[in-house]
Amino acid sequence: MNGPHDLGGQHGLGPIAPEKDEPYFHAEWEKRALGVTLSCGAFGAWTIDESRHARESLPPTTYLSASYYEVWTRALQALLKRHGFLTQAELDAGHMLEKGTEPKRTLRAEMVADVLAKGGPCDRPIATPPRFAAGERVRTKNFNPETHTRLPRYARAKIGVVEAVQGSFVFPDDNAHGKGENPQWVYTVVFDGGDIWGDGADPTLTVSIDAWESYLERA
Amino acid sequence: MSEHHHGHDHGHDHHHHDNHFTDMEARVKALETVLTEKGLIDPAAIDAIVETYETKVGPRNGACVVAKAWSDPQFSDWLKRDATAAIASLGFAGRQGEHMRAVFNTPETHNLVVCTLCSCYPWAVLGLPPVWYKAPPYRSRAVIDPRGVLAEFGLELPVEKKIRVWDSTAELRYLVVPERPVGTEGLSEEELADLVTRDSMIGTGLALSREVAR
């Protein structure tokens, strides 16, 4: 999706302004937003890919002006409504009005340590061998789907070199939309800075992405 | 709030501040309340998550990994080959650290990590990311103007030093292993870890010299 999230190479977004001794949270509500988001993730109702797509689907003005936990929270509201866990009327009222969807599981305090330690590995075995090998030249595909993808715009239709075969992983472009995990090989593909940015690029720069096999063709 | 009664009247009612929620406070509170009433979330679980990332999982984990890599060539090789397993052997694994890759700075090349599409970050070794890592200015510029980005962090690299930017577009999470500062022979792993900053493991900084760390 060519959404507001696809930021690589955009100009005019201002200085970075690192903060000295930055705290983990800047407000109490951010702590709750993190915890609520992770707790709802434990329902098992949506994948990380669907939640990323919910975030990038926010209106650009919202996405670019909101703090990160605000982006998380607004996307979470959309996911909870989409999957029937609550309604807008309940959010407006600030209270439960009706029973909603039953989750596969709920996260209790005593489960937190194990769940965080386990994480959500997304490597999956596949039967087919990798199509590309380290050292091979590849061209990224040129596409502009309205759906979720992890091939950034700046790296589309560009020639690069496969540096490493990283293993086989869940394919987010399908998994974000309930079409299954459909794992594919993932490759680290390196581009010369000049091949991406053209004249004026830093002559010492190389940029790599991790690309699923279907993003690539032989160059 | 007693501090509101010091007699400087600004012409509006300070008492309202006690009940003044910003939009986000109100939004998150409503969300948490509805979900709690439905039995879908456990507020104590949220406390436990916050406590984990405030007190247990932070950049010190990554600093221990780097210090061990500096001290132990075998571990360093393992980290290069299979960072996930090598890091897990020190007890650091889990959410947003399921698939790790370590990239080593050298005299020729400096590594910098970004996620232009969201904010992928190795939580298991660095903890929760700083605001700037997740914000548009860093995400937009790290891939096109890394030297300009580094300058904003006060880091000027020699012009001949190559810059390698890793855009974390899949589920691999990157840990930069900075170069070991000179004059640190004989330091223990514990002392070496004190030289390893969070930013040096993202690539927006270098490891501290022994003098600066003091």
Side-chain angles (χ1 to χ4, degrees):
Chain A
M1 177 186 183
N2 295 338
H5 67 294
D6 190 351
L7 287 164
Q10 287 207 35
H11 288 138
L13 292 166
I16 292 162
E19 185 181 350
K20 197 170 159 35
D21 300 324
E22 181 177 333
Y24 283 114
F25 300 97
H26 288 76
E28 283 300 304
W29 70 263
E30 294 188 336
K31 300 180 187 179
R32 307 315 286 177
L34 169 78
V36 170
T37 304
L38 297 198
S39 295
C40 293
F43 296 169
W46 55 78
T47 62
I48 191 167
D49 302 303
E50 184 176 343
S51 65
R52 284 189 184 131
H53 186 61
R55 290 168 196 162
E56 68 202 29
S57 297
L58 291 170
T61 46
T62 304
Y63 185 93
L64 289 171
S65 59
S67 74
Y68 204 74
Y69 288 116
E70 179 175 349
V71 168
W72 273 30
T73 302
R74 287 178 182 272
L76 177 63
Q77 289 176 321
L79 290 166
L80 288 166
K81 286 189 278 183
R82 181 186 300 168
H83 290 273
F85 291 105
L86 49 67
T87 63
Q88 185 60 48
E90 290 177 313
L91 289 174
D92 293 343
H95 288 288
M96 167 172 154
L97 301 174
E98 58 190 277
K99 198 96 188 113
T101 308
E102 284 289 329
K104 285 184 204 147
R105 65 169 179 175
T106 54
L107 184 67
R108 301 286 149 198
E110 63 275 12
M111 297 157 62
V112 166
D114 282 350
V115 166
L116 294 181
K118 194 164 158 245
C122 56
D123 52 336
R124 302 285 185 274
I126 57 175
T128 52
R131 217 182 132 211
F132 307 106
E136 222 173 318
R137 271 161 57 91
V138 287
R139 181 186 287 104
T140 52
K141 287 193 184 156
N142 186 15
F143 57 60
N144 291 275
E146 289 183 29
T147 45
H148 185 65
T149 185
R150 295 291 285 182
L151 181 59
R153 255 182 293 182
Y154 75 81
R156 292 184 196 154
K158 298 284 192 275
I159 289 177
V161 175
V162 171
E163 185 181 72
V165 185
Q166 296 291 1
S168 49
F169 292 86
V170 172
F171 184 48
D173 304 41
D174 286 346
N175 201 40
H177 301 286
K179 295 178 185 168
E181 295 192 332
N182 306 331
Q184 294 185 8
W185 291 100
V186 168
Y187 305 86
T188 297
V189 179
V190 193
F191 306 93
D192 189 78
D195 286 343
I196 292 184
W197 307 115
D199 291 347
D202 188 317
T204 74
L205 173 64
T206 50
V207 177
S208 65
I209 61 168
D210 292 320
W212 275 264
E213 189 165 274
S214 64
Y215 297 167
L216 305 173
E217 54 199 14
R218 279 205 172 77
Chain B
M1 277 189 157
S2 59
E3 61 267 34
H4 286 157
H5 296 279
H6 290 307
H8 51 283
D9 184 358
H10 297 302
H12 60 271
D13 189 351
H14 282 209
H15 296 282
H16 284 178
H17 283 212
D18 287 352
N19 294 317
H20 178 73
F21 289 103
T22 67
D23 174 58
M24 283 312 299
E25 282 174 304
R27 191 181 285 270
V28 173
K29 193 170 181 55
L31 193 52
E32 187 175 347
T33 305
V34 173
L35 291 167
T36 304
E37 286 176 0
K38 292 189 171 213
L40 293 173
I41 62 172
D42 174 5
I46 296 176
D47 296 338
I49 290 167
V50 171
E51 199 212 334
T52 301
Y53 289 109
E54 280 193 317
T55 65
K56 298 194 179 99
V57 182
R60 186 74 189 180
N61 291 4
C64 292
V65 173
V66 171
K68 189 160 188 68
W70 283 347
S71 319
D72 177 347
Q74 265 187 321
F75 181 80
S76 180
D77 284 347
W78 189 15
L79 191 61
K80 249 177 219 161
R81 259 191 348 265
D82 185 353
T84 311
I87 291 169
S89 77
L90 302 183
F92 313 131
R95 192 184 170 87
Q96 293 302 307
E98 295 93 341
H99 310 288
M100 291 294 307
R101 185 153 177 211
V103 295
F104 291 66
N105 284 347
T106 67
E108 294 77 37
T109 303
H110 181 83
N111 294 288
L112 179 68
V113 180
V114 65
C115 172
T116 63
L117 294 174
C118 49
S119 61
C120 295
Y121 190 79
W123 290 20
V125 291
L126 294 187
L128 297 175
V131 166
W132 58 260
Y133 186 86
K134 302 177 283 190
Y138 181 74
R139 288 165 51 195
S140 60
R141 281 172 49 211
V143 283
I144 189 171
D145 178 26
R147 271 178 213 276
V149 165
L150 295 179
E152 280 189 36
F153 286 86
L155 177 56
E156 303 271 356
L157 295 177
V159 286
E160 66 279 5
K161 190 124 180 172
K162 293 179 186 149
I163 300 187
R164 168 68 184 271
V165 179
W166 303 79
D167 189 356
S168 189
T169 56
E171 301 301 338
L172 297 167
R173 299 288 172 268
Y174 290 91
L175 177 71
V176 175
V177 179
E179 287 182 274
R180 180 172 175 161
V182 292
T184 56
E185 302 76 14
L187 291 190
S188 66
E189 275 182 37
E190 182 99 5
E191 290 167 315
L192 287 171
D194 291 339
L195 309 179
V196 185
T197 65
R198 177 197 68 197
D199 287 8
S200 73
M201 294 182 279
I202 302 171
T204 54
L206 303 178
L208 303 177
S209 71
R210 218 171 155 171
E211 292 67 37
V212 172
R214 281 200 192 113

